[in-house]
């Protein structure tokens, strides 16, 4: 599946992830450990390494080739340290992509703590919803948030998602089974 690059702001580009992103992605996750910890599953130490990210990126590329996943990274082109192309400012993905009469996917995203409050999550979700509709021809997207993740709930609401349910003990996050609010957006009413 072909994914597009989209400019989200003067200094931020959303582009499909590749295996070449492993080192920059490992640095971003390591830099954001404390910020993402309350919202993420517990991560093994290798997750924060280039080798760990390379393993994941290879698996994601296989899933993308099978039409099961689409993943993008937000890149800050203005703040790159010497010798680096750019800095990863966040990520967004569509997973569990299903065709046929359902034509749906799950949406997940994160933003580095240094980039929150700039509207980047909203811009990225908007761009990925457009790609899901126009490029992937999906009918709906679903997202879940922890009950107390008001910031993510605001992003989803701004992007047209509506809450449709509560999932008890939905995901194992930050060391415990956590309840989630479930949201969805209907992208179109096209025939499958």
């Amino acid at each position: 599946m072909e994914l597009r690059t989209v400019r989200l702001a003067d200094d931020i580009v959303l582009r499909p992830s590749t295996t070449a992103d492993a080192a920059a992605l490992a640095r971003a996750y390591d830099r954001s450990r404390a910020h993402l910890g309350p919202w993420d599953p517990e991560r093994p130490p290798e997750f924060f390494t280039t080798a760990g990210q390379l393993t994941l990126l290879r698996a994601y590329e296989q899933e993308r080739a099978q039409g099961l996943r689409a993943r993008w990274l937000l890149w800050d082109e203005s703040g790159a340290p010497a010798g680096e192309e750019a800095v990863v400012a966040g990520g967004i993905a569509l997973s569990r992509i299903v065709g046929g009469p359902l034509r749906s996917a799950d949406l997940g995203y994160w933003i580095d703590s240094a980039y929150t409050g700039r509207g980047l999550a909203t811009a990225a979700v908007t761009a990925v919803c457009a790609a899901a509709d126009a490029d992937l021809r999906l009918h709906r997207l679903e997202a879940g948030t922890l009950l107390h993740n008001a910031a993510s709930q605001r992003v989803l609401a701004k992007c047209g998602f509506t809450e449709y349910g509560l999932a008890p003990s939905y995901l194992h996050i930050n060391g415990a089974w956590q309840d989630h609010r479930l949201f969805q957006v209907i992208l179109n009413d096209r025939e499958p």
Side-chain angles (χ1 to χ4, degrees):
M1 106 186 36
E2 190 66 32
L3 304 176
R4 299 181 203 193
T5 296
V6 178
R7 183 158 296 281
L8 301 179
D10 288 343
D11 56 341
I12 304 292
V13 172
L14 180 72
R15 73 164 173 76
S17 66
T18 71
T19 54
D21 301 331
L25 191 52
R27 285 189 298 273
Y29 275 125
D30 189 50
R31 191 174 55 246
S32 299
R33 269 191 216 216
H35 171 64
L36 297 175
W39 318 109
D40 274 357
E42 291 181 327
R43 308 284 191 188
E46 61 270 13
F47 178 84
F48 302 96
T49 68
T50 299
Q53 286 303 310
L54 184 58
T55 298
L56 289 172
L57 288 165
R58 285 180 177 146
Y60 295 157
E61 284 192 358
Q62 288 178 345
E63 289 181 11
R64 181 171 72 195
Q66 297 168 354
L68 303 174
R69 177 182 297 268
R71 188 165 191 241
W72 296 261
L73 296 174
L74 288 80
W75 289 89
D76 179 351
E77 298 180 322
S78 71
E84 288 184 34
E85 176 183 311
V87 174
V88 173
I92 185 166
L94 296 174
S95 60
R96 297 193 314 182
I97 297 174
V98 177
L102 183 58
R103 305 208 60 77
S104 183
D106 291 343
L107 173 75
Y109 53 90
W110 64 276
I111 301 293
D112 183 301
S113 61
Y115 296 89
T116 60
R118 292 184 48 188
L120 295 175
T122 301
V125 170
T126 299
V128 168
C129 285
D133 183 10
D135 302 335
L136 305 179
R137 313 266 315 149
L138 297 179
H139 168 67
R140 74 183 280 280
L141 298 179
E142 178 177 322
T145 72
L146 290 168
L147 301 183
H148 59 282
N149 191 343
S152 193
Q153 293 162 16
R154 282 191 303 274
V155 166
L156 294 171
K158 287 178 191 175
C159 295
F161 283 73
T162 56
E163 185 175 343
Y164 75 93
L166 178 72
S169 297
Y170 186 64
L171 290 173
H172 200 264
I173 300 293
N174 195 23
W177 289 104
Q178 304 260 357
D179 298 346
H180 278 64
R181 294 187 193 284
L182 301 179
F183 295 82
Q184 70 175 359
V185 63
I186 305 299
L187 300 170
N188 60 67
D189 288 325
R190 280 190 305 268
E191 292 293 317

